[in-house]
Amino acid sequence: FDDSLKSLSLRRGIRRDCVELRPARPGDDPKDPKFRAPSQMSESVGVVSITLFHPAFTKVHPGFDLTSPRLLSPKELEGLAHELTEMAMSLLSATDLAVAKARWGKHSAFVRELESDGDWAKARPILAETARALGAKAKAHADAKEGLWVLAF
């Protein structure tokens, strides 16, 4: 369990079982093989985290999923920053596992499969910090009027 917690956070570089977050650049073409190569400018976040945050993504980008590259616009990123900030606060306030399972268990296998309040106590601050960091990244891109790709190759 403790090893799986490491994959939850937002980190520089590309990691296994993670989703790539890549700054959008003019001329990006997801069909181009060069686009599919990992970028040094990217950060990654665990698939588990993105699954938990999925409602925030779908709220700002209807139809969002990880089956194909998704480009979030600056306006969508602004909304996502707000949603993820709210999510971070909600995660921090859900201090017991039963509350977490009732709130997020239906769309997060990770939360649904947690077995103890102790496990939730370890995961909760990491997930909240990931939501906060991802929200800050979204806000920074929105403020710079830049898009952001969400890639799960």
Side-chain angles (χ1 to χ4, degrees):
F1 172 75
D2 289 330
D3 285 340
S4 69
L5 294 178
K6 294 175 186 172
S7 73
L8 300 177
S9 62
L10 180 66
R11 292 192 186 158
R12 194 93 172 126
I14 308 304
R15 300 174 288 152
R16 193 172 62 81
D17 297 329
C18 289
V19 173
E20 181 181 355
L21 304 170
R22 183 186 302 178
R25 297 292 174 241
D28 281 345
D29 179 3
K31 294 177 184 175
D32 184 340
K34 290 179 185 175
F35 181 83
R36 292 188 163 270
S39 170
Q40 297 297 341
M41 299 174 8
S42 295
E43 291 182 87
S44 60
V45 66
V47 171
V48 167
S49 296
I50 291 290
T51 302
L52 179 65
F53 306 150
H54 191 261
F57 281 86
T58 58
K59 189 170 183 178
V60 302
H61 188 94
F64 176 86
D65 63 25
L66 295 175
T67 60
S68 61
R70 300 293 176 187
L71 177 59
L72 301 180
S73 70
K75 183 175 179 168
E76 290 170 325
L77 291 168
E78 189 175 312
L80 183 62
H82 173 76
E83 292 297 320
L84 290 170
T85 298
E86 293 290 320
M87 180 105 190
M89 291 188 291
S90 294
L91 285 161
L92 290 174
S93 69
T95 57
D96 97 4
L97 182 57
V99 170
K101 284 186 175 192
R103 183 146 192 196
W104 300 294
K106 70 180 177 183
H107 61 267
S108 171
F110 177 79
V111 172
R112 189 172 48 252
E113 294 169 5
L114 288 173
E115 296 180 357
S116 71
D117 283 324
D119 287 347
W120 177 240
K122 289 178 185 177
R124 184 172 59 95
I126 296 168
L127 289 165
E129 174 53 26
T130 302
R132 188 212 57 76
L134 191 52
K137 181 172 186 62
K139 178 148 180 31
H141 281 271
D143 289 350
K145 305 289 187 230
E146 296 175 343
L148 185 68
W149 287 98
V150 181
L151 308 167
F153 294 130

